[in-house]
Amino acid sequence: MCEAEGEQAAGARESKCRGTGRAGSSVMARRALKLASLVAATSGIYLYGNKFLDPNDFGVVRVGRAIATTAVITYDYLTSLRSVPYGSEEYDFLKSQIKELFVSFEDTPLGAASLAQVHKAVLQDGRTVAVKIQHPKVQAQSSKDILLMEVLLLVVKQIFPDFEFMWLVEEAKKNLPLELDFLNEGRNAEKVAHMLRNFDFLKVPRIYWELSTRRVLLMEFMEGGQVNDRAYMERNGINVNEISRNLGKLYSEMIFVNGFVHCDPHPGNVLVKKCPASGKAHIILLDHGLYQVLSESFRMDYCRLWQALIKADMKRVQKYSRRLGAGDLYPLFACMLTARSWESVNRGIDRSPVSATEDVEIRSNAAAYLPQITQLLNNVPRQMLLLLKTNDLLRGIESALHTRANASSFLNMSRCCIRAVSTYQRSKSHSLYRRAQISLTEALSLWQINLYELFLWLKGSQLGNWVIALLSRMHHSMY
């Protein structure tokens, strides 16, 4: 693994390293937990201690902290500042815990969000780490937020009976506790790293379990440019098409083959970096708090639906869309999944890239069909909701890199769907002959995709153009 070193390049990276830990019983783990209250207040204490601001001036402190982190967590910073006054015995004690654990600890967070913030630090043994710390009171506040959302949605539903968004509350109740448990996040990180270990371009930060708890986690520090930063890739000699292709491979493998899906691939959670030693471009996957586990039956229907969409087989598109809860709204469902117009879906989504006109059409139709979209979201399996979000985030990255509707992404999806369906069919067959038949069909299908990919490569390369021109001249000379 090529380890990231040095300071962050300006504008090249949003470092939001995420990780978690297994609840440790060691003294160091207990000390790590104590850091939460101190570090959440560090920015405010720093301002107070250096007398840049008057701590009694609430307005100034509020603005200063909003600039230093985010407005969302200002209140937590203020209360932490009051509870751990600068120069007090408690402050000195907590500060000493940092000195015992770390050679250095950067007070200013690298990244801050509503649930946690991340600091860069160096351990006593010289390892550079990312320290993710949950904001004070976020556990208690999250329960109140969910209750408030539930009440508001119930009120809206009384006024507008067709309003069907109560699934938002159900999903929040299910997912938020998992995101608040950093131990769960660490297990997810290790599971996906093991699951995708064959992809040498993927890097997942190592978790330091002995220093991690449910609210504080330490992991290997990694840095790079955001995956949607085309300018960063060009400056660093990273092939944009290769990154887009590899990102598609990762998610196709997670969704179709393993059914264990990282559901928050926004650009701050997916970094890219060129390893100086090997020259290879790595994809660094961060923030493993939110995953979707797909049931086998759902995954098979979803595989077959995408196979039908890629082949423009409308009968099977209708069949598997209905099996996934779309009912008579299957054309709208197909358009939502692919972010293409119904005309493009019928023609074949791999046949032509998205045009500006089609983009405008999709946006206007989204507003016009809002009631039907609401109905669909209420009817599809809950597993589909996070997948739709994931699809949208991945398409946003492809749009930023100008690689959307690249044929290679559909070829990778096809490979994963073929492998997943074949594995499922073999598992359900008790006949040795039938299993051999399935394996042969799988090998032939994958071979056909490889041939087609080779054809596309030759078609787009100089060598391919030369071969085609030569064959053309030979053809004319013969006739």
Side-chain angles (χ1 to χ4, degrees):
M1 177 183 295
C2 176
E3 297 184 3
E5 297 178 353
E7 295 298 318
Q8 166 183 344
R13 161 184 173 273
E14 175 185 339
S15 180
K16 291 186 67 183
C17 296
R18 313 279 177 105
T20 108
R22 192 170 296 141
S25 58
S26 67
V27 174
M28 295 183 79
R30 290 196 297 272
R31 287 172 178 169
L33 183 59
K34 291 177 184 177
L35 297 179
S37 61
L38 175 62
V39 179
T42 307
S43 300
I45 293 171
Y46 180 79
L47 294 172
Y48 177 30
N50 287 275
K51 303 189 184 302
F52 293 145
L53 299 173
D54 179 358
N56 295 315
D57 185 353
F58 176 79
V60 177
V61 172
R62 186 181 182 90
V63 172
R65 291 197 186 112
I67 294 170
T69 54
T70 64
V72 179
I73 56 173
T74 300
Y75 179 73
D76 283 335
Y77 274 33
L78 182 65
T79 53
S80 297
L81 173 60
R82 287 178 176 170
S83 63
V84 188
Y86 177 78
S88 68
E89 289 184 10
E90 184 181 1
Y91 171 77
D92 291 338
F93 172 74
L94 289 173
K95 196 71 174 179
S96 71
Q97 306 306 305
I98 292 181
K99 290 180 180 177
E100 286 188 37
L101 280 173
F102 306 107
V103 173
S104 66
F105 189 99
E106 292 187 3
D107 291 347
T108 305
L110 295 168
S114 56
L115 299 183
Q117 63 193 50
V118 180
H119 294 258
K120 184 179 179 181
V122 179
L123 295 174
Q124 294 290 344
D125 60 9
R127 288 177 295 175
T128 302
V129 296
V131 186
K132 181 177 177 180
I133 301 171
Q134 197 172 112
H135 296 314
K137 304 180 182 177
V138 73
Q139 296 265 3
Q141 188 60 45
S142 63
S143 302
K144 296 175 185 175
D145 291 342
I146 291 174
L147 178 60
L148 177 61
M149 178 168 53
E150 187 169 14
V151 170
L152 290 175
L153 288 174
L154 285 170
V155 170
V156 173
K157 185 164 176 60
Q158 291 300 314
I159 302 171
F160 304 102
D162 293 334
F163 185 84
E164 297 290 351
F165 275 96
M166 290 308 296
W167 53 266
L168 281 171
V169 179
E170 297 169 16
E171 290 302 297
K173 285 179 177 177
K174 181 181 73 175
N175 294 323
L176 192 56
L178 296 175
E179 290 190 79
L180 291 174
D181 182 2
F182 290 172
L183 301 178
N184 177 68
E185 186 175 340
R187 289 189 290 269
N188 288 343
E190 289 198 341
K191 180 175 179 178
V192 81
H194 178 74
M195 190 176 78
L196 303 176
R197 62 191 179 280
N198 292 331
F199 292 130
D200 60 357
F201 58 82
L202 173 65
K203 303 301 173 188
V204 177
R206 177 186 173 189
I207 306 300
Y208 298 124
W209 293 106
E210 72 277 10
L211 296 173
S212 299
T213 70
R214 290 173 63 90
R215 291 184 55 220
V216 178
L217 72 97
L218 272 79
M219 66 180 174
E220 178 184 5
F221 179 80
M222 291 184 170
E223 63 181 350
Q226 289 191 4
V227 71
N228 65 342
D229 191 342
R230 188 183 177 96
Y232 168 87
M233 295 188 207
E234 290 173 353
R235 285 196 308 271
N236 289 274
I238 297 173
N239 187 310
V240 172
N241 290 316
E242 180 186 354
I243 291 296
S244 182
R245 183 167 58 250
N246 286 342
L247 188 62
K249 284 182 182 178
L250 286 180
Y251 272 86
S252 292
E253 194 79 12
M254 281 191 273
I255 293 169
F256 300 114
V257 177
N258 295 288
F260 185 68
V261 189
H262 179 286
C263 287
D264 199 13
H266 72 73
N269 289 339
V270 187
L271 307 180
V272 293
K273 186 175 178 67
K274 192 169 187 176
C275 178
S278 65
K280 291 183 179 179
H282 292 160
I283 293 177
I284 303 167
L285 195 60
L286 309 174
D287 195 345
H288 300 272
L290 186 60
Y291 271 74
Q292 179 67 70
V293 179
L294 307 179
S295 68
E296 188 175 64
S297 59
F298 174 92
R299 185 166 55 88
M300 287 301 103
D301 286 340
Y302 195 62
C303 278
R304 290 177 171 121
L305 173 57
W306 268 104
Q307 285 181 307
L309 286 166
I310 292 169
K311 293 177 181 177
D313 184 342
M314 290 302 107
K315 287 185 178 179
R316 286 168 63 84
V317 167
Q318 179 178 353
K319 175 183 176 181
Y320 289 106
S321 293
R322 288 182 181 278
R323 288 183 63 160
L324 289 169
D328 293 335
L329 295 174
Y330 71 89
L332 178 61
F333 184 54
C335 293
M336 287 172 62
L337 280 178
T338 60
R340 301 298 301 268
S341 67
W342 182 237
E343 181 184 348
S344 295
V345 171
N346 276 273
R347 189 169 60 243
I349 54 176
D350 61 336
R351 304 293 168 83
S352 59
V354 183
S355 65
T357 306
E358 187 178 2
D359 256 341
V360 171
E361 179 189 345
I362 291 167
R363 283 197 295 271
S364 15
N365 283 343
Y369 287 95
L370 186 58
Q372 290 87 349
I373 291 172
T374 304
Q375 182 184 341
L376 255 177
L377 293 176
N378 194 52
N379 290 341
V380 296
R382 298 282 76 94
Q383 297 168 83
M384 182 63 70
L385 299 175
L386 283 178
L387 284 189
L388 288 170
K389 171 196 171 185
T390 303
N391 285 346
D392 285 341
L393 289 169
L394 292 173
R395 275 193 292 267
I397 292 170
E398 289 177 346
S399 295
L401 298 180
H402 309 302
T403 58
R404 192 168 167 195
N406 189 313
S408 64
S409 64
F410 296 117
L411 293 176
N412 288 324
M413 289 176 69
S414 296
R415 284 191 183 96
C416 286
C417 288
I418 289 168
R419 287 168 47 217
V421 171
S422 298
T423 300
Y424 172 77
Q425 289 174 337
R426 278 192 295 268
S427 71
K428 298 299 179 184
S429 174
H430 301 292
S431 163
L432 184 61
Y433 172 77
R434 175 60 183 152
R435 288 199 295 270
Q437 189 180 39
I438 293 167
S439 296
L440 179 60
T441 303
E442 176 188 9
L444 288 172
S445 299
L446 293 174
W447 180 71
Q448 287 176 334
I449 291 176
N450 290 339
L451 275 182
Y452 182 59
E453 189 170 43
L454 177 62
F455 166 76
L456 291 176
W457 178 80
L458 286 172
K459 187 178 177 182
S461 67
Q462 289 184 348
L463 174 62
N465 292 333
W466 180 81
V467 170
I468 291 170
L470 178 62
L471 290 174
S472 178
R473 283 197 297 271
M474 289 174 63
H475 174 78
H476 287 300
S477 64
M478 290 174 63
Y479 295 96

